Amino acid sequence: GRLFSVMRHPIDRVVSIFHYLQQATWEPTYNPEYAKWTIDDYVQSEFCESNWMVRALTNKMVGPLASEDVMIAKEILKRKCLIGLMDRMEESIVRFHAYFGFGDAGDLDCAVRNYANGGDLANHHSHPRLDPNGETWKVLERKNGLDIQLYEYAKQLFEEQGMWMKSQNIL
């Protein structure tokens, strides 16, 4: 099977999911306590995500992870996944459209208009960004170090896949 994934920096993702879950009463993981918490409270709690992407790809949602787990996750991305990047969403949508054959030029324009560059259907909500030099960022780096390694690898794959798609006249 073929699939695609849109990746974003793991710390940005954790911060975003926290702010989202403060309001998302419809989500199964909603916790009413989150509405009272700061991001620092969340980061110090047992509920803060830790290497979610590596865990999901290796099916190890609980317990410790090892360096070989990130290697397995990298191999899964390499073999199975066309990578998109949230901070390069328009380019990612163009790639998905070309690779998977998602309709005509009008469909592509519609997807770019609605999902890239803050379009009406883009998944976004406003929240403050963390200071990359702050203590909260550093704690999240420690808790999500394997996901950060995976993200850096995904960015590399994004570049390699783009070159391959051009060499194959897919783009």
Side-chain angles (χ1 to χ4, degrees), residues 78-95:
K78 183 177 181 178
R79 289 181 184 221
K80 301 283 186 183
C81 196
L82 181 61
I83 300 295
L85 298 174
M86 191 162 213
D87 60 357
R88 292 170 70 178
M89 186 59 91
E90 184 171 344
E91 184 178 356
S92 299
I93 290 170
V94 168
R95 288 182 184 194

Side-chain angles (χ1 to χ4, degrees), residues 6 24 118 125 129 140 159:
V6 177
H125 54 277
R129 291 189 48 88
L140 285 171
E159 297 302 332

Side-chain angles (χ1 to χ4, degrees), residues 107-124:
D107 295 322
L108 174 60
D109 290 343
C110 180
V112 167
R113 187 175 56 255
N114 285 309
Y115 294 102
N117 309 317
D120 291 341
L121 299 176
N123 183 9
H124 60 83

Side-chain angles (χ1 to χ4, degrees), residues 151-169:
Y151 175 70
E152 292 301 322
Y153 180 71
K155 290 193 314 185
Q156 176 187 327
L157 273 179
F158 181 82
E159 297 302 332
E160 291 172 7
Q161 290 173 347
M163 289 186 291
W164 176 82
M165 290 178 80
K166 287 175 184 165
S167 76
Q168 300 298 308
N169 295 316

Side-chain angles (χ1 to χ4, degrees), residues 9-161:
H9 193 285
I11 294 176
D12 292 336
R13 193 187 56 73
V14 170
V15 171
S16 180
I17 196 74
F18 164 70
H19 288 288
Y20 170 75
L21 288 175
Q22 284 187 302
Q23 306 165 31
T25 57
W26 55 91
E27 290 286 349
T29 54
Y30 175 75
N31 181 337
E33 288 298 310
Y34 293 164
K36 303 173 196 170
W37 287 8
T38 66
I39 185 64
D40 295 317
D41 295 330
Y42 178 69
V43 167
Q44 297 298 331
S45 78
E46 65 182 304
F47 302 106
C48 183
E49 290 186 3
S50 171
N51 296 306
W52 182 86
M53 183 59 79
V54 171
R55 289 180 182 286
L57 287 170
T58 60
N59 198 28
K60 290 186 172 183
M61 297 311 288
V62 295
L65 293 171
S67 58
E68 53 266 11
D69 294 316
V70 76
M71 298 307 294
I72 292 167
K74 287 177 179 181
E75 191 64 22
I76 292 168
L77 288 185
K78 183 177 181 178
R79 289 181 184 221
K80 301 283 186 183
C81 196
L82 181 61
I83 300 295
L85 298 174
M86 191 162 213
D87 60 357
R88 292 170 70 178
M89 186 59 91
E90 184 171 344
E91 184 178 356
S92 299
I93 290 170
V94 168
R95 288 182 184 194
F96 301 153
H97 177 83
Y99 186 79
F100 291 102
F102 291 152
D104 61 20
D107 295 322
L108 174 60
D109 290 343
C110 180
V112 167
R113 187 175 56 255
N114 285 309
Y115 294 102
N117 309 317
D120 291 341
L121 299 176
N123 183 9
H124 60 83
H125 54 277
S126 298
H127 58 78
R129 291 189 48 88
L130 280 187
D131 175 2
N133 299 312
E135 186 58 32
T136 303
W137 184 281
K138 290 176 182 154
V139 172
L140 285 171
E141 276 183 324
R142 287 191 296 272
K143 288 187 173 193
N144 293 280
L146 298 179
D147 270 8
I148 291 169
Q149 288 179 43
L150 185 65
Y151 175 70
E152 292 301 322
Y153 180 71
K155 290 193 314 185
Q156 176 187 327
L157 273 179
F158 181 82
E159 297 302 332
E160 291 172 7
Q161 290 173 347

